Coordinates of all heavy atoms in Angstrom, one line a residue:
G289 N -31.7 123.9 -4.9 CA -31.4 124.8 -3.8 C -30.9 126.1 -4.3 O -30.7 126.4 -5.5
A290 N -30.7 127.0 -3.5 CA -30.3 128.4 -3.8 C -28.8 128.4 -4.3 O -28.0 127.6 -3.7 CB -30.5 129.4 -2.7
V291 N -28.5 129.2 -5.2 CA -27.1 129.3 -5.7 C -26.5 130.4 -4.9 O -27.0 131.5 -4.8 CB -27.1 129.6 -7.2 CG1 -25.7 129.9 -7.7 CG2 -27.8 128.5 -8.0
G292 N -25.3 130.1 -4.4 CA -24.5 131.1 -3.7 C -24.0 132.2 -4.7 O -23.9 132.0 -5.8
I293 N -23.9 133.4 -4.1 CA -23.5 134.6 -4.9 C -22.1 134.2 -5.7 O -22.0 134.6 -6.8 CB -23.3 135.8 -4.1 CG1 -24.7 136.3 -3.6 CG2 -22.6 136.9 -4.9 CD1 -24.6 137.5 -2.7
N294 N -21.2 133.5 -5.1 CA -19.9 133.2 -5.7 C -20.1 132.3 -6.9 O -19.3 132.3 -7.8 CB -19.0 132.6 -4.7 CG -18.5 133.5 -3.7 OD1 -18.5 134.8 -3.9 ND2 -18.2 133.1 -2.5
R295 N -21.2 131.6 -7.0 CA -21.4 130.6 -8.1 C -22.3 131.2 -9.1 O -22.7 130.6 -10.1 CB -22.0 129.3 -7.6 CG -21.1 128.7 -6.5 CD -21.0 127.2 -6.6 NE -21.4 126.6 -7.8 CZ -21.8 125.3 -7.8 NH1 -22.0 124.7 -6.8 NH2 -22.1 124.8 -9.0
M296 N -22.8 132.4 -9.0 CA -23.6 133.2 -10.0 C -22.8 133.4 -11.2 O -21.6 133.5 -11.3 CB -24.0 134.5 -9.4 CG -25.4 134.5 -8.8 SD -25.8 136.2 -8.3 CE -26.9 135.8 -7.0
H297 N -23.6 133.7 -12.2 CA -23.1 134.1 -13.5 C -22.2 135.3 -13.3 O -22.5 136.2 -12.5 CB -24.2 134.4 -14.5 CG -23.9 134.5 -15.9 ND1 -23.3 135.6 -16.4 CD2 -23.9 133.7 -16.9 CE1 -23.1 135.5 -17.7 NE2 -23.4 134.3 -18.0
R298 N -21.1 135.4 -14.1 CA -20.1 136.5 -13.9 C -20.9 137.9 -14.1 O -20.5 138.9 -13.5 CB -19.0 136.2 -14.8 CG -18.3 137.4 -15.5 CD -17.2 136.8 -16.4 NE -17.6 136.4 -17.7 CZ -17.9 137.2 -18.7 NH1 -17.8 138.5 -18.5 NH2 -18.2 136.7 -19.8
K299 N -21.7 137.9 -15.2 CA -22.4 139.2 -15.5 C -23.4 139.6 -14.3 O -23.6 140.7 -14.0 CB -23.2 139.1 -16.8 CG -22.2 139.1 -17.9 CD -23.0 139.0 -19.2 CE -22.0 139.0 -20.4 NZ -22.8 138.8 -21.7
A300 N -24.0 138.6 -13.6 CA -24.8 138.9 -12.5 C -24.0 139.5 -11.3 O -24.5 140.4 -10.7 CB -25.5 137.6 -12.1
R301 N -22.9 138.9 -11.1 CA -22.0 139.5 -10.0 C -21.6 140.9 -10.4 O -21.5 141.8 -9.6 CB -20.7 138.6 -9.9 CG -21.0 137.3 -9.1 CD -19.8 136.7 -8.7 NE -18.7 136.5 -9.7 CZ -18.6 135.5 -10.4 NH1 -19.3 134.4 -10.3 NH2 -17.6 135.4 -11.3
A302 N -21.4 141.2 -11.7 CA -21.1 142.6 -12.1 C -22.3 143.5 -11.9 O -22.1 144.6 -11.4 CB -20.7 142.5 -13.6
A303 N -23.4 143.0 -12.1 CA -24.7 143.8 -11.9 C -24.8 144.1 -10.4 O -25.2 145.3 -10.0 CB -25.9 143.1 -12.4
I304 N -24.5 143.2 -9.5 CA -24.5 143.4 -8.1 C -23.5 144.5 -7.7 O -23.9 145.4 -6.9 CB -24.3 142.1 -7.3 CG1 -25.4 141.1 -7.5 CG2 -24.1 142.4 -5.8 CD1 -25.1 139.7 -7.1
K305 N -22.3 144.4 -8.2 CA -21.4 145.5 -7.9 C -21.8 146.9 -8.3 O -21.6 147.8 -7.6 CB -20.0 145.1 -8.6 CG -19.3 144.0 -7.9 CD -17.9 143.7 -8.6 CE -17.3 142.5 -7.9 NZ -16.0 142.1 -8.6
V306 N -22.4 147.0 -9.6 CA -22.9 148.2 -10.0 C -24.0 148.8 -9.1 O -24.0 149.9 -8.7 CB -23.4 148.1 -11.5 CG1 -24.3 149.3 -11.9 CG2 -22.3 147.9 -12.5
A307 N -25.0 147.9 -8.7 CA -26.0 148.3 -7.9 C -25.5 148.7 -6.5 O -25.9 149.8 -6.0 CB -27.0 147.2 -7.7
Q308 N -24.6 148.1 -6.0 CA -24.0 148.4 -4.7 C -23.2 149.7 -4.8 O -23.3 150.5 -3.8 CB -23.1 147.3 -4.2 CG -23.8 146.1 -3.7 CD -22.9 144.9 -3.3 OE1 -21.8 144.8 -3.8 NE2 -23.4 144.0 -2.5
R309 N -22.6 150.0 -5.9 CA -21.9 151.3 -6.1 C -22.9 152.5 -6.0 O -22.5 153.6 -5.6 CB -21.3 151.3 -7.4 CG -19.9 151.9 -7.4 CD -19.1 151.9 -8.7 NE -19.8 151.6 -9.9 CZ -19.5 150.6 -10.7 NH1 -18.5 149.8 -10.5 NH2 -20.2 150.3 -11.8
H310 N -24.2 152.2 -6.3 CA -25.2 153.3 -6.3 C -26.0 153.2 -5.0 O -27.1 153.8 -4.9 CB -26.1 153.1 -7.5 CG -25.3 153.5 -8.8 ND1 -25.0 154.9 -9.1 CD2 -24.7 152.8 -9.7 CE1 -24.4 154.9 -10.3 NE2 -24.1 153.6 -10.6
G311 N -25.6 152.4 -4.0 CA -26.3 152.4 -2.7 C -27.4 151.3 -2.6 O -28.2 151.2 -1.6
F312 N -27.6 150.5 -3.6 CA -28.6 149.4 -3.6 C -28.1 148.2 -2.9 O -26.9 147.9 -2.9 CB -29.1 149.0 -4.9 CG -29.9 150.0 -5.7 CD1 -29.4 151.1 -6.2 CD2 -31.3 149.9 -5.7 CE1 -30.2 152.2 -6.9 CE2 -32.1 150.8 -6.3 CZ -31.6 152.0 -6.9
V313 N -29.0 147.5 -2.3 CA -28.7 146.2 -1.5 C -29.5 145.1 -2.2 O -30.6 145.2 -2.5 CB -29.1 146.3 0.0 CG1 -28.9 145.0 0.6 CG2 -28.4 147.4 0.6
L314 N -28.8 143.9 -2.5 CA -29.4 142.8 -3.0 C -30.3 142.1 -2.0 O -29.9 141.8 -0.9 CB -28.4 141.8 -3.5 CG -28.8 140.5 -4.1 CD1 -29.5 140.8 -5.5 CD2 -27.7 139.5 -4.4
V315 N -31.6 142.1 -2.3 CA -32.6 141.5 -1.3 C -33.1 140.1 -1.7 O -33.5 139.4 -0.9 CB -33.7 142.4 -1.1 CG1 -33.3 143.7 -0.4 CG2 -34.5 142.8 -2.3
R316 N -33.0 139.8 -3.0 CA -33.5 138.4 -3.5 C -32.8 138.1 -4.8 O -32.6 139.1 -5.6 CB -35.0 138.5 -3.6 CG -35.6 137.2 -4.0 CD -37.1 137.3 -3.7 NE -37.8 138.4 -4.2 CZ -38.3 138.5 -5.4 NH1 -38.2 137.6 -6.3 NH2 -39.0 139.6 -5.8
W317 N -32.5 136.9 -5.0 CA -31.9 136.4 -6.3 C -32.4 135.1 -6.8 O -31.6 134.3 -7.4 CB -30.4 136.6 -6.2 CG -29.7 135.6 -5.3 CD1 -29.4 134.3 -5.5 CD2 -29.3 135.9 -4.0 NE1 -28.8 133.8 -4.4 CE2 -28.7 134.7 -3.4 CE3 -29.4 137.0 -3.1 CZ2 -28.2 134.6 -2.1 CZ3 -28.9 136.9 -1.9 CH2 -28.3 135.7 -1.4
K318 N -33.6 134.8 -6.6 CA -34.1 133.5 -7.0 C -34.3 133.4 -8.5 O -33.6 132.5 -9.1 CB -35.5 133.2 -6.3 CG -36.0 131.8 -6.5 CD -37.1 131.5 -5.7 CE -37.6 130.1 -5.9 NZ -38.8 129.7 -5.1
H319 N -35.1 134.2 -9.1 CA -35.3 134.2 -10.6 C -34.7 135.4 -11.2 O -34.2 135.4 -12.3 CB -36.7 134.1 -10.9 CG -37.4 132.9 -10.4 ND1 -37.0 131.6 -10.9 CD2 -38.2 132.6 -9.4 CE1 -37.7 130.7 -10.3 NE2 -38.5 131.3 -9.3
H320 N -34.7 136.6 -10.5 CA -34.1 137.8 -10.9 C -33.3 138.3 -9.8 O -33.4 137.9 -8.7 CB -35.2 138.8 -11.3 CG -35.9 138.5 -12.5 ND1 -37.1 137.6 -12.5 CD2 -35.8 138.8 -13.8 CE1 -37.5 137.5 -13.7 NE2 -36.8 138.2 -14.5
L321 N -32.5 139.3 -10.1 CA -31.7 140.0 -9.0 C -32.6 141.2 -8.6 O -33.0 142.0 -9.4 CB -30.4 140.6 -9.5 CG -29.4 139.5 -10.1 CD1 -28.2 140.2 -10.7 CD2 -29.0 138.6 -9.0
V322 N -33.1 141.3 -7.4 CA -33.9 142.3 -6.9 C -33.1 143.1 -5.8 O -32.6 142.5 -4.9 CB -35.2 141.7 -6.2 CG1 -36.1 142.8 -5.7 CG2 -35.9 140.8 -7.2
F323 N -33.0 144.4 -6.1 CA -32.3 145.3 -5.2 C -33.2 146.3 -4.6 O -34.2 146.7 -5.3 CB -31.2 146.1 -6.1 CG -30.2 145.2 -6.8 CD1 -30.5 144.8 -8.1 CD2 -29.1 144.8 -6.2 CE1 -29.5 144.0 -8.8 CE2 -28.2 143.9 -6.8 CZ -28.4 143.6 -8.2
R324 N -32.8 146.8 -3.4 CA -33.6 147.8 -2.8 C -32.6 148.9 -2.3 O -31.6 148.6 -1.8 CB -34.4 147.3 -1.7 CG -35.3 148.3 -1.0 CD -36.6 147.7 -0.5 NE -37.4 147.0 -1.4 CZ -37.8 145.8 -1.2 NH1 -37.5 145.1 -0.1 NH2 -38.5 145.1 -2.1
H325 N -33.1 150.1 -2.5 CA -32.3 151.3 -2.1 C -32.8 151.7 -0.7 O -34.0 151.6 -0.5 CB -32.4 152.5 -3.1 CG -31.4 153.6 -3.0 ND1 -31.7 154.6 -2.2 CD2 -30.2 153.7 -3.4 CE1 -30.7 155.5 -2.2 NE2 -29.8 154.9 -2.9
P326 N -32.0 152.3 0.1 CA -32.5 152.8 1.4 C -33.7 153.7 1.3 O -34.5 153.8 2.2 CB -31.4 153.5 2.1 CG -30.1 152.9 1.4 CD -30.6 152.5 0.1
S327 N -33.8 154.4 0.1 CA -34.9 155.4 -0.1 C -36.3 154.6 -0.3 O -37.3 155.2 -0.4 CB -34.6 156.3 -1.2 OG -34.5 155.6 -2.4
G328 N -36.2 153.3 -0.5 CA -37.3 152.5 -0.9 C -37.5 152.1 -2.3 O -38.3 151.3 -2.7
V329 N -36.7 152.7 -3.2 CA -36.7 152.3 -4.6 C -36.3 150.9 -4.8 O -35.3 150.5 -4.2 CB -35.8 153.3 -5.4 CG1 -35.7 152.9 -6.9 CG2 -36.2 154.7 -5.3
T330 N -37.0 150.2 -5.7 CA -36.6 148.8 -6.0 C -36.2 148.7 -7.5 O -36.9 149.3 -8.3 CB -37.9 147.9 -5.8 OG1 -38.2 148.0 -4.4 CG2 -37.6 146.4 -6.1
A331 N -35.2 148.0 -7.7 CA -34.7 147.7 -9.0 C -34.5 146.2 -9.3 O -34.2 145.5 -8.4 CB -33.3 148.4 -9.3
V332 N -34.8 145.8 -10.5 CA -34.7 144.4 -10.9 C -33.8 144.2 -12.1 O -34.0 145.0 -13.1 CB -36.2 143.8 -11.2 CG1 -36.1 142.3 -11.5 CG2 -37.1 144.1 -10.0
A333 N -33.1 143.2 -12.1 CA -32.2 142.9 -13.2 C -32.3 141.4 -13.5 O -32.5 140.5 -12.5 CB -30.7 143.3 -12.9
G334 N -32.0 140.9 -14.7 CA -32.0 139.6 -15.0 C -30.8 138.9 -14.4 O -29.8 139.5 -14.1
K335 N -30.9 137.6 -14.0 CA -29.8 136.9 -13.5 C -28.7 136.6 -14.4 O -27.5 136.5 -14.0 CB -30.3 135.6 -12.9 CG -30.1 135.5 -11.5 CD -30.8 134.3 -10.9 CE -29.9 133.4 -10.1 NZ -30.6 132.3 -9.5
S336 N -29.0 136.5 -15.6 CA -28.0 136.2 -16.7 C -28.3 137.1 -17.9 O -28.9 136.8 -18.9 CB -28.0 134.7 -17.2 OG -29.3 134.4 -17.7
P337 N -27.7 138.3 -17.8 CA -27.9 139.4 -18.8 C -27.5 138.8 -20.2 O -26.4 138.1 -20.3 CB -27.0 140.5 -18.4 CG -26.8 140.3 -16.9 CD -26.8 138.8 -16.7
S338 N -28.2 139.1 -21.2 CA -28.1 138.5 -22.5 C -27.2 139.2 -23.5 O -26.5 138.6 -24.3 CB -29.4 138.3 -23.2 OG -30.0 139.5 -23.2
D339 N -27.2 140.5 -23.4 CA -26.3 141.2 -24.3 C -25.3 142.1 -23.6 O -25.3 142.3 -22.4 CB -27.2 142.0 -25.3 CG -27.9 143.2 -24.7 OD1 -27.7 143.5 -23.5 OD2 -28.6 143.9 -25.4
R340 N -24.3 142.6 -24.4 CA -23.2 143.3 -23.8 C -23.6 144.7 -23.3 O -22.9 145.3 -22.4 CB -22.0 143.4 -24.8 CG -22.4 144.1 -26.0 CD -21.3 144.1 -27.1 NE -21.6 144.8 -28.3 CZ -21.3 146.1 -28.4 NH1 -20.7 146.7 -27.5 NH2 -21.6 146.6 -29.6
R341 N -24.7 145.3 -23.7 CA -25.1 146.6 -23.3 C -26.0 146.4 -22.0 O -26.3 147.5 -21.4 CB -25.9 147.2 -24.4 CG -25.1 147.6 -25.6 CD -25.1 149.1 -26.0 NE -25.8 150.0 -25.2 CZ -25.1 151.0 -24.5 NH1 -23.8 151.2 -24.6 NH2 -25.8 151.9 -23.8
E342 N -26.4 145.3 -21.7 CA -27.3 145.1 -20.5 C -26.9 145.8 -19.3 O -27.6 146.4 -18.6 CB -27.6 143.6 -20.3 CG -28.5 143.2 -19.2 CD -29.9 143.0 -19.7 OE1 -30.1 142.7 -20.8 OE2 -30.8 143.2 -18.9
L343 N -25.6 145.6 -19.0 CA -25.0 146.2 -17.7 C -25.0 147.7 -17.8 O -25.3 148.3 -16.8 CB -23.7 145.6 -17.5 CG -23.1 145.8 -16.1 CD1 -24.0 145.2 -15.0 CD2 -21.6 145.2 -15.9
L344 N -24.6 148.2 -18.9 CA -24.7 149.7 -19.1 C -26.1 150.3 -19.0 O -26.3 151.3 -18.3 CB -24.0 150.1 -20.4 CG -22.6 149.7 -20.6 CD1 -22.1 149.9 -22.0 CD2 -21.7 150.5 -19.6
N345 N -27.0 149.5 -19.6 CA -28.4 150.0 -19.5 C -28.9 149.9 -18.1 O -29.7 150.8 -17.6 CB -29.2 149.1 -20.4 CG -29.0 149.3 -21.9 OD1 -28.4 150.3 -22.3 ND2 -29.3 148.3 -22.7
F346 N -28.6 148.8 -17.4 CA -28.9 148.7 -15.9 C -28.5 149.8 -15.1 O -29.2 150.5 -14.3 CB -28.5 147.3 -15.4 CG -28.8 147.1 -14.0 CD1 -30.1 147.1 -13.5 CD2 -27.8 146.9 -13.1 CE1 -30.5 146.9 -12.2 CE2 -28.1 146.6 -11.7 CZ -29.4 146.6 -11.3
E347 N -27.2 150.2 -15.3 CA -26.6 151.3 -14.6 C -27.4 152.6 -14.9 O -27.6 153.4 -14.0 CB -25.1 151.4 -14.8 CG -24.4 152.4 -13.9 CD -23.0 152.4 -13.8 OE1 -22.3 151.8 -14.7 OE2 -22.4 153.0 -12.8
S348 N -27.6 152.8 -16.1 CA -28.3 154.0 -16.6 C -29.7 154.0 -15.9 O -30.1 155.1 -15.4 CB -28.5 154.0 -18.1 OG -29.2 155.0 -18.6
D349 N -30.4 152.9 -15.9 CA -31.7 152.9 -15.2 C -31.7 153.2 -13.7 O -32.5 153.9 -13.2 CB -32.4 151.5 -15.4 CG -32.8 151.3 -16.8 OD1 -32.9 152.2 -17.6 OD2 -33.0 150.1 -17.2
L350 N -30.5 152.7 -13.1 CA -30.4 153.0 -11.6 C -30.2 154.5 -11.4 O -30.9 155.1 -10.5 CB -29.2 152.3 -11.0 CG -29.2 150.7 -11.0 CD1 -27.9 150.2 -10.4 CD2 -30.4 150.3 -10.1
K351 N -29.4 155.1 -12.2 CA -29.2 156.6 -12.1 C -30.4 157.3 -12.3 O -30.7 158.3 -11.6 CB -28.1 157.0 -13.1 CG -26.7 156.5 -12.8 CD -25.7 157.0 -13.9 CE -24.3 156.4 -13.7 NZ -23.4 156.8 -14.7
K352 N -31.3 156.9 -13.3 CA -32.5 157.6 -13.5 C -33.5 157.5 -12.4 O -34.2 158.4 -12.0 CB -33.2 157.1 -14.8 CG -32.5 157.4 -16.1 CD -33.1 156.8 -17.3 CE -32.3 157.0 -18.5 NZ -32.8 156.2 -19.7
M353 N -33.5 156.2 -11.8 CA -34.4 156.0 -10.6 C -34.0 156.9 -9.5 O -34.9 157.5 -8.7 CB -34.3 154.6 -10.1 CG -35.0 153.6 -11.0 SD -34.7 151.9 -10.3 CE -35.0 150.9 -11.8
L354 N -32.7 157.0 -9.2 CA -32.2 157.8 -8.1 C -32.4 159.3 -8.3 O -32.5 160.1 -7.5 CB -30.7 157.5 -7.8 CG -30.5 156.1 -7.3 CD1 -29.0 155.8 -7.1 CD2 -31.2 155.8 -6.0
D355 N -32.4 159.7 -9.6 CA -32.6 161.2 -10.0 C -34.0 161.6 -9.6 O -34.3 162.7 -9.4 CB -32.4 161.4 -11.4 CG -30.8 161.6 -11.8 OD1 -30.0 161.6 -10.8 OD2 -30.4 161.5 -12.9
R356 N -34.9 160.6 -9.6 CA -36.4 160.9 -9.4 C -36.7 161.1 -7.9 O -37.8 161.5 -7.6 CB -37.3 159.8 -10.0 CG -37.3 159.8 -11.5 CD -38.2 158.8 -12.0 NE -37.9 158.5 -13.4 CZ -37.8 157.3 -14.0 NH1 -38.1 156.2 -13.2 NH2 -37.6 157.1 -15.2
I357 N -35.8 160.7 -7.0 CA -36.1 160.8 -5.6 C -35.6 162.0 -5.0 O -34.8 162.7 -5.5 CB -35.7 159.5 -4.8 CG1 -34.2 159.2 -5.0 CG2 -36.5 158.3 -5.2 CD1 -33.7 158.1 -4.1

């Protein structure tokens, strides 16, 4: 079955908070975390980020996506 957000990997919860801070909404989390921004931009992150820079890189990617719109 589906895993509740509270039982997700701690780094996945951190990615959700980062995305929400930039206005993205979590729309799906089956195999990856899939976020959508009200402008229509979609962002995808791994459910269990592997390295310590992953979260910083994800936030950087979100900022770049939003700069393009």
Side-chain angles (χ1 to χ4, degrees):
V291 175
I293 290 176
N294 292 333
R295 301 219 19 210
M296 264 188 204
H297 192 279
R298 140 181 88 78
K299 289 181 180 178
R301 286 195 309 267
I304 292 169
K305 287 180 184 176
V306 166
Q308 288 175 337
R309 217 175 19 236
H310 291 281
F312 285 82
V313 175
L314 182 65
V315 292
R316 185 165 44 91
W317 64 85
K318 187 170 182 178
H319 298 291
H320 291 84
L321 300 173
V322 180
F323 300 95
R324 188 147 304 124
H325 192 267
S327 66
V329 175
T330 300
V332 180
K335 240 171 126 174
S336 56
S338 56
D339 68 3
R340 61 187 181 89
R341 292 230 14 112
E342 180 95 21
L343 193 58
L344 296 171
N345 293 338
F346 177 59
E347 184 164 22
S348 174
D349 291 342
L350 292 179
K351 289 177 183 177
K352 289 176 191 173
M353 287 179 201
L354 293 177
D355 284 345
R356 291 186 197 134
I357 56 173

